[in-house]
Amino acid sequence: MWRIAHAVISGLAVGAGSGILANAQSIPCNGIDNCTSPFPNTTYPAAVDPNAVPGAQSGQISPPFYPSPWMDGSGGWDAAYAKAQAFVRQLTLLEKVNLTTGVGWEGDRCVGNTGKIPRLNFTGLCLEDSPVGVRDTDFNTVFPAGVTIAATWDRELFYQRGYGMGDEHKHKGVDIQLGPVVGPLGRAPEAGRNWEGFSPDPVLSGIAVAQTVKGIQDAGVMACTKHYIAYEQEHFRQVTESSGYGYNFTGEYSANLDDKTMHELYLWPFADAVRAGTASIMCVYNNINGSYGCQNSHTLNYLLKGELGFQGFVMTDWGAHHSGVSSALAGLDMSMPGDTAFDSGQSFWGANLTIAVLNGSIPEWRIDDMATRVMAGYYLVGLDKNPIPVNFDAWTTDTYGYLHYIASESYGLINEHVDVRADHGQQARTQAAKGTVLLKNTNNALPLTGKEKLTAVFGDDAGDNPYGPNGCSDRGCDNGTLGMAWGSGTANFPYLITPLTAIQNEVFSNMGAIEDVTDNYAYDQISALARRADQVGGVSLVFVNADSGEGYIVVDTNEGDRNNLTLWRGGAELIANVSSQHNNTVVVMHTVGPVDISSFYDHPNITAIIWAGIPGEQSGNAIADVLYGRVNPGGKLPFTIGKNRPDYGTDVLYRLNNGTDQPQLNFQEGVFIDYRSFDKQGIDPIYEFGYGISYTNFSYSNLKIVGQRANNYVPNAGQTKAAPTLGNFSTDPAGYVFPAGFHEVPLYIYPYLNNSDIKSASNDSDYGEPANEYLPAGSQDGSPQPKIGAGGGPGGNPQLYDVFYTVTADITNTGKVAGDEVPQVYVGLGGPDDPKVVLRGFDRLTIAPGATATFSAELTRRDFSNWDPVSQNWVISNYTKTVYVGSSSRKLPLQQALGGSSNATAGGYGTHAPAHRMF
Ligand SMILES: *[C@@H]1O[C@H](CO)[C@@H](O)[C@H](O)[C@H]1NC(C)=O
Ligand SMILES: *[C@@H]1O[C@H](CO)[C@@H](O)[C@H](O)[C@H]1NC(C)=O
Ligand SMILES: *[C@@H]1O[C@H](CO)[C@@H](O)[C@H](O)[C@H]1NC(C)=O
Ligand SMILES: *[C@@H]1O[C@H](CO)[C@@H](O)[C@H](O)[C@H]1NC(C)=O
Ligand SMILES: *[C@@H]1O[C@H](CO)[C@@H](O)[C@H](O)[C@H]1NC(C)=O
Ligand SMILES: *[C@@H]1O[C@H](CO)[C@@H](O)[C@H](O)[C@H]1NC(C)=O
Ligand SMILES: *[C@@H]1O[C@H](CO)[C@@H](O)[C@H](O)[C@H]1NC(C)=O
């Protein structure tokens, strides 16, 4: 049965409670022999009380799913799979373990490093942050943050930025770039890391992440799409971190959500990333429905590797690994940075993984699958050709230092200071300018001419950080202009062009006059300058910001997540002080997300408002391009700006809500976040999702919807092949001890045993405890498995991507200057539980004055489907579907209902042959 004598159950990390087995919380059978898996009869999620309202309940569970699906090379991975298998076949067990386990925090030169395979000259993999550029080094580009590139709504720029970042990682010797981000998605507007990702809308995020992954990987490095999944806030993500802030509790929060919300919202962009071929995925710190993200067999085995057909490998977030055997069986492939806690010198894997394979707790096919997945990603992006050795060091920018930083060993040249930027700075400028959103422009206050009699610039956010652009570690402060928010998702600036510098250059080129006050609290000087600018008919430009970041840094009492939506450093007061004096006040906001603008947005003296996002190193040049009309703004808000904080309908959980137990974060709102929530509640925002104006105007006409022939949906069926095993290994522990004379770097994680008695070599106090000597039912089974109906290829059943309709509309530039417009197509799915409209497509078009361009978008089966938790598949409901086209989620002048839904059977898969519909 599932009892395995001497099973290694690698247990506890700091604060991990008794989460020893994967889904331990969901299998109430500690110490009981009768521990059968409820699969497949459990629908997901199995609410604690079956009569409870569906949705998100405290304490609900995540059903187990075993065995862990093995990769099969489908969906364009076949060549990489074959090469990976050939490589892994040559490996010993110890070498395979080296591919799966990091060497420990600060053990080697990158932020994460796998072990090496010296016998085959394989130097190990270098993993490095971040989603905006290469972190922890110099002579790299700081690209605009995810939220800003999202605001371009431009597929080509998504790709260009991805390629540029990938190229820089490649030339620094990085193998795996730790980005892009689609988790958090943006459930709560205050959540600290939303800006690293793109948008709370899954379709905008999905298109952005797919293009970014392609760009990164085309440049020759592996992407790591993160954080998987439901990591929607910083508070309580890690017990150790939160206890440093005075919270007393024992378990990382559980994000509790239902299956429909999972599929229709949070999983959606991950499906796009998988379909785009992301080589790796990072699992989260938090629990999902009561089970840790890095040992949750439902989210990893069932959803990611089963349903989405993910062919790459899953790595832990740094410190998110909490168990040895359980995580391996639940679908984890790589432990990062490899040690149980930073610099503990111990690992849930490493030697423990070797032992777990030796004693049969982890079947050979599972470690072979881990190693194959890692190497398949490597071959997929071509890292075997033209490898570039690591030429920087993540722990210091000093030229000389220790190769093994924490151990202070092997002194030498560690930073070659390679300039990898090429022309990416120019690209970053264009990207930031195109991601700038014009929200208000009364009487064409903008663009400026550059010949204003007096240009008055206000705000700390216009100028330099007195500590320098990199003066605060990981950008953990809000000093000077906000070019980048804080945390591990950052990079060092090679320069940061401030708005003040760029505007001074502009004014100076016209020999004009410019003065500034960058102290937000210099009230007298602010009033005096604003009054004078008013009297001479000049312009006042007020720069304000709002910052947030990752939970390990607190800025102005904000523990990662923002405490509120107000502007920082007295921004609203600054705006009030300037606008009370000057009737031509322009407000520029650098913010991580929505902010409270209710006190000033409709003030008559405020003639223009711009959201300039988190623009990266070219901040000043990009905003000057827009202010002076070199770039006609065409960005659109990737989120909603509401009037009042409660209007958003979702919030961060700031206080423990379950005693000292795991906080429960219940996603009771289901799929209704951001504009879907405002629409549902009937609340008018100030500026809605998708909104943004231009220096010209556009009109919409001539909607056409043409049905395409698509085959009936056939759920994926049949059986997988049996799990392959690649090579043999001896089960004699004596063959796995440290080689004679081997020099051990202190605190470094190795695959070797320190003696041939595996119980004592494991150093695991749980080892052999009877209560822990079982493994989840089915977890050892390498025989052919039933395929999952909604699966069938990377991203899910390929038929989900069949085109049902082509939508076209004419967009006319009715103004006097050329401009960009982003027509957006939304669908109303029609059911009582559906959002009013959901974004399904968009394009960014450049249109000459007087000209008309044709917008075209394709709508797929997936775009019309809802997730059905009972059949575990996508279905098309009988409700009338409506297609809308317009310039924002609330400005949808063109619409058409799709009639004749008789072909769709309720609750079934329907016979969706749209050509037979009314079009
Ligand atoms: C094996 O994992 C346990 C935690 O379950 C840890 O205490 C122990 O030190 C690890 N052993 C090694 C050799 O790292
Ligand atoms: C499992 O245990 C339950 C009660 O604990 C019992 O009703 C059931 O018959 C047992 N099943 C098996 C297969 O032993
Ligand atoms: C559980 O599911 C299996 C296969 O889906 C089915 O044959 C069986 O009847 C179900 N058992 C119960 C108790 O519903
Ligand atoms: C595992 O990797 C380490 C370096 O990280 C290396 O010293 C060791 O030789 C490798 N072991 C094997 C078996 O390749
Ligand atoms: C490893 O590199 C050395 C030195 O370049 C070379 O002699 C040897 O053949 C290589 N081994 C393999 C397996 O490629
Ligand atoms: C934390 O809470 C527990 C009760 O669950 C209590 O025993 C302990 O003293 C508390 N620790 C601190 C530091 O407050
Ligand atoms: C830097 O920022 C912090 C917090 O945002 C603030 O308290 C401090 O006064 C600032 N220092 C300077 C020199 O601007």
Side-chain angles (χ1 to χ4, degrees):
M1 296 274 287
W2 56 82
R3 286 184 73 104
I4 302 269
H6 311 302
V8 175
I9 304 296
S10 300
L12 308 179
V14 185
S18 59
I20 288 168
L21 270 183
N23 300 304
Q25 297 91 332
S26 64
I27 311 176
C29 56
N30 254 6
I32 302 171
D33 267 358
N34 174 359
C35 179
T36 50
S37 156
F39 181 82
N41 300 61
T42 309
T43 56
Y44 170 73
V48 171
D49 172 2
N51 298 317
V53 197
Q57 317 296 328
S58 293
Q60 72 188 11
I61 64 165
S62 186
F65 183 87
Y66 299 96
S68 186
W70 36 93
M71 85 170 283
D72 60 9
S74 59
W77 285 70
D78 42 343
Y81 179 56
K83 287 181 195 167
Q85 280 198 328
F87 185 83
V88 174
R89 269 202 187 89
Q90 311 171 66
L91 303 184
T92 66
L93 174 58
L94 290 168
E95 289 166 342
K96 291 171 187 172
V97 170
N98 255 5
L99 283 179
T100 67
T101 306
V103 303
W105 179 243
E106 298 175 332
D108 262 325
R109 287 164 76 186
C110 300
V111 82
N113 310 269
T114 68
K116 304 175 178 53
I117 305 177
R119 186 174 65 87
L120 299 174
N121 291 344
F122 184 81
T123 54
L125 299 173
C126 164
L127 295 79
E128 186 61 40
D129 294 305
S130 79
V132 298
V134 195
R135 185 187 178 207
D136 298 324
T137 184
D138 47 15
F139 306 104
N140 57 277
T141 301
V142 180
F143 291 85
V147 70
T148 293
I149 202 72
T152 69
W153 298 62
D154 187 321
R155 284 174 175 73
E156 284 166 28
L157 293 182
F158 297 159
Y159 179 89
Q160 181 195 62
R161 172 174 168 276
Y163 191 95
M165 295 191 301
D167 188 59
E168 296 198 7
H169 280 85
K170 172 87 188 166
H171 287 98
K172 288 279 182 186
V174 175
D175 300 301
I176 303 170
Q177 176 184 350
L178 302 176
V181 171
V182 285
L185 189 66
R187 172 179 181 264
E190 308 88 351
R193 300 182 77 177
N194 290 351
W195 59 273
E196 291 187 42
F198 303 103
S199 163
D201 181 84
V203 170
L204 177 53
S205 273
I207 292 170
V209 77
Q211 291 293 90
T212 307
V213 163
K214 286 180 197 160
I216 291 171
Q217 297 195 160
D218 283 354
V221 298
M222 294 187 249
C224 177
T225 303
K226 63 188 192 174
H227 306 80
Y228 184 77
I229 191 170
Y231 168 41
E232 294 293 326
Q233 67 169 51
E234 296 304 284
H235 277 74
F236 318 128
R237 66 178 192 150
Q238 277 190 301
V239 169
T240 41
E241 178 180 282
S242 296
S243 60
Y245 306 148
Y247 300 101
N248 180 10
F249 67 115
T250 55
E252 283 74 7
Y253 70 77
S254 178
N256 302 319
L257 68 166
D258 64 66
D259 197 19
K260 186 173 190 295
T261 303
M262 176 64 95
H263 280 85
E264 294 183 8
L265 193 59
Y266 297 100
L267 190 62
W268 185 291
F270 282 101
D272 290 309
V274 170
R275 191 157 182 258
T278 188
S280 63
I281 297 263
M282 186 188 290
C283 53
V284 292
Y285 292 118
N286 53 281
N287 296 266
I288 302 110
N289 294 326
S291 188
Y292 274 125
C294 293
Q295 60 188 51
N296 186 316
S297 64
H298 184 84
T299 56
L300 300 180
N301 284 346
Y302 181 66
L303 294 178
L304 182 62
K305 291 182 171 178
E307 185 183 324
L308 298 188
F310 175 54
Q311 298 288 306
F313 58 97
V314 178
M315 70 173 77
T316 64
D317 201 340
W318 271 232
H321 200 182
H322 295 293
S323 69
V325 172
S326 326
S327 58
L329 298 176
L332 182 71
D333 303 299
M334 184 184 280
S335 175
M336 277 293 148
D339 32 22
T340 51
F342 287 180
D343 300 328
S344 66
Q346 303 174 4
S347 179
F348 292 110
W349 284 7
N352 271 325
L353 186 54
T354 306
I355 293 169
V357 177
L358 288 180
N359 74 12
S361 302
I362 295 176
E364 188 194 349
W365 60 258
R366 182 71 268 269
I367 181 130
D368 287 351
D369 183 52
M370 294 178 189
T372 307
R373 285 171 176 273
V374 172
M375 291 312 297
Y378 176 88
Y379 289 116
L380 183 79
V381 303
L383 277 163
D384 52 324
K385 301 166 201 135
N386 180 28
I388 296 178
V390 177
N391 55 41
F392 75 105
D393 188 277
W395 317 112
T396 171
T397 47
D398 288 349
T399 304
Y400 290 89
Y402 294 108
L403 213 55
H404 305 299
Y405 183 83
I406 191 67
S408 298
E409 260 198 21
S410 304
Y411 192 83
L413 174 64
I414 53 172
N415 277 302
E416 295 169 35
H417 309 289
V418 178
D419 193 329
V420 295
R421 292 174 295 166
D423 64 344
H424 301 151
Q426 285 305 328
Q427 294 179 1
R429 175 178 183 162
T430 303
Q431 292 159 12
K434 291 210 171 197
T436 299
V437 185
L438 181 63
L439 299 172
K440 176 178 180 180
N441 192 20
T442 308
N443 297 330
N444 299 321
L446 296 179
L448 304 174
T449 60
K451 301 196 171 74
E452 286 71 24
K453 180 102 185 208
L454 174 60
T455 301
V457 177
F458 298 93
D460 171 79
D461 184 66
D464 286 310
N465 178 353
Y467 305 142
N470 302 313
C472 304
S473 177
D474 292 342
R475 311 298 82 79
C477 66
D478 184 31
N479 301 105
T481 197
L482 186 65
M484 191 48 55
W486 78 77
S488 65
T490 56
N492 292 329
F493 286 110
Y495 51 75
L496 173 53
I497 310 291
T498 67
L500 185 55
T501 299
I503 293 165
Q504 277 172 338
N505 288 343
E506 200 79 37
V507 172
F508 177 71
S509 69
N510 291 304
M511 298 307 280
I514 177 167
E515 288 181 45
D516 62 272
V517 182
T518 55
D519 181 336
N520 290 6
Y521 308 103
Y523 301 123
D524 294 345
Q525 290 82 352
I526 290 165
S527 293
L529 178 57
R531 195 167 61 246
R532 203 150 50 79
D534 182 75
Q535 288 169 5
V536 303
V539 62
S540 284
L541 304 172
V542 188
F543 287 83
V544 291
N545 70 34
D547 203 354
S548 77
E550 192 172 349
Y552 68 93
I553 297 175
V554 179
V555 179
D556 285 351
T557 77
N558 296 270
E559 294 162 356
D561 305 315
R562 284 186 282 167
N563 291 333
N564 51 49
L565 296 178
T566 57
L567 291 166
W568 286 38
R569 302 184 73 113
E573 201 182 0
L574 174 67
I575 292 168
N577 288 339
V578 175
S579 60
S580 68
Q581 303 295 327
H582 190 177
N583 68 2
N584 187 18
T585 299
V586 173
V587 173
V588 178
M589 308 188 291
H590 289 120
T591 76
V592 287
V595 281
D596 180 4
I597 61 171
S598 55
S599 69
F600 64 84
Y601 78 94
D602 56 356
H603 193 293
N605 285 355
I606 295 177
T607 48
I609 304 176
I610 290 176
W611 181 74
I614 301 296
E617 67 183 35
Q618 286 279 346
S619 173
N621 288 334
I623 193 65
D625 287 345
V626 170
L627 289 171
Y628 293 96
R630 282 187 297 273
V631 171
N632 186 351
K636 302 275 187 177
L637 281 182
F639 49 75
T640 297
I641 299 182
K643 288 197 181 91
N644 306 296
R645 180 175 181 172
D647 293 355
Y648 294 87
T650 46
D651 210 334
V652 166
L653 178 73
Y654 293 97
R655 294 283 164 261
L656 297 171
N657 67 352
N658 194 18
T660 53
D661 289 340
Q662 178 189 68
Q664 301 293 306
L665 190 52
N666 295 331
F667 292 17
Q668 291 280 357
E669 71 288 341
V671 299
F672 296 96
I673 66 170
D674 199 73
Y675 67 93
R676 300 157 173 229
S677 170
F678 282 83
D679 289 353
K680 184 181 191 203
Q681 299 181 79
I683 295 175
D684 288 333
I686 297 176
Y687 298 119
E688 71 273 14
F689 173 82
Y691 176 81
I693 56 177
S694 162
Y695 297 150
T696 185
N697 293 305
F698 300 97
S699 70
Y700 282 65
S701 63
N702 201 18
L703 175 65
K704 286 200 188 116
I705 303 177
V706 178
Q708 306 290 330
R709 189 168 285 278
N711 291 329
N712 292 347
Y713 187 68
V714 183
N716 190 35
Q719 299 254 302
T720 68
K721 291 188 177 145
T725 50
L726 308 174
N728 299 313
F729 62 93
S730 149
T731 53
D732 178 5
Y736 297 89
V737 298
F738 279 98
F742 188 87
H743 170 71
E744 281 185 66
V745 177
L747 300 180
Y748 207 84
I749 304 301
Y750 292 101
Y752 306 108
L753 316 188
N754 59 15
N755 72 76
S756 59
D757 169 36
I758 55 177
K759 182 167 194 289
S760 66
S762 79
N763 185 33
D764 190 337
S765 57
D766 284 338
Y767 193 95
E769 287 301 311
N772 296 328
E773 282 183 12
Y774 58 79
L775 298 165
S779 61
Q780 308 278 300
D781 186 359
S783 68
Q785 297 295 311
K787 291 184 175 170
I788 293 173
N797 193 314
Q799 285 190 297
L800 292 171
Y801 300 93
D802 288 349
V803 175
F804 269 21
Y805 295 99
T806 302
V807 177
T808 55
D810 288 344
I811 320 296
T812 303
N813 181 343
T814 57
K816 293 191 179 64
V817 292
D820 285 7
E821 174 63 334
V822 181
Q824 300 155 43
V825 56
Y826 291 80
V827 168
L829 292 169
D833 298 330
D834 290 319
K836 191 172 171 206
V837 295
V838 284
L839 179 74
R840 287 300 189 244
F842 56 86
D843 200 5
R844 183 166 176 142
L845 305 172
T846 300
I847 310 175
T852 296
T854 300
F855 163 65
S856 175
E858 290 181 330
L859 297 176
T860 63
R861 171 180 273 113
R862 185 195 191 205
D863 292 328
F864 291 101
S865 296
N866 287 104
W867 180 254
D868 176 22
V870 177
S871 67
Q872 285 293 293
N873 218 320
W874 294 95
V875 297
I876 297 183
S877 71
N878 265 332
Y879 299 105
T880 301
K881 313 287 179 245
T882 310
V883 173
Y884 303 83
V885 172
S887 60
S888 82
S889 61
R890 290 197 164 206
K891 295 195 177 53
L892 298 168
L894 309 179
Q895 73 174 71
Q896 184 164 339
L898 304 178
S901 61
S902 58
N903 282 337
T905 47
Y909 305 108
T911 53
H912 311 293
H916 298 157
R917 293 187 175 196
M918 64 180 284
F919 305 106

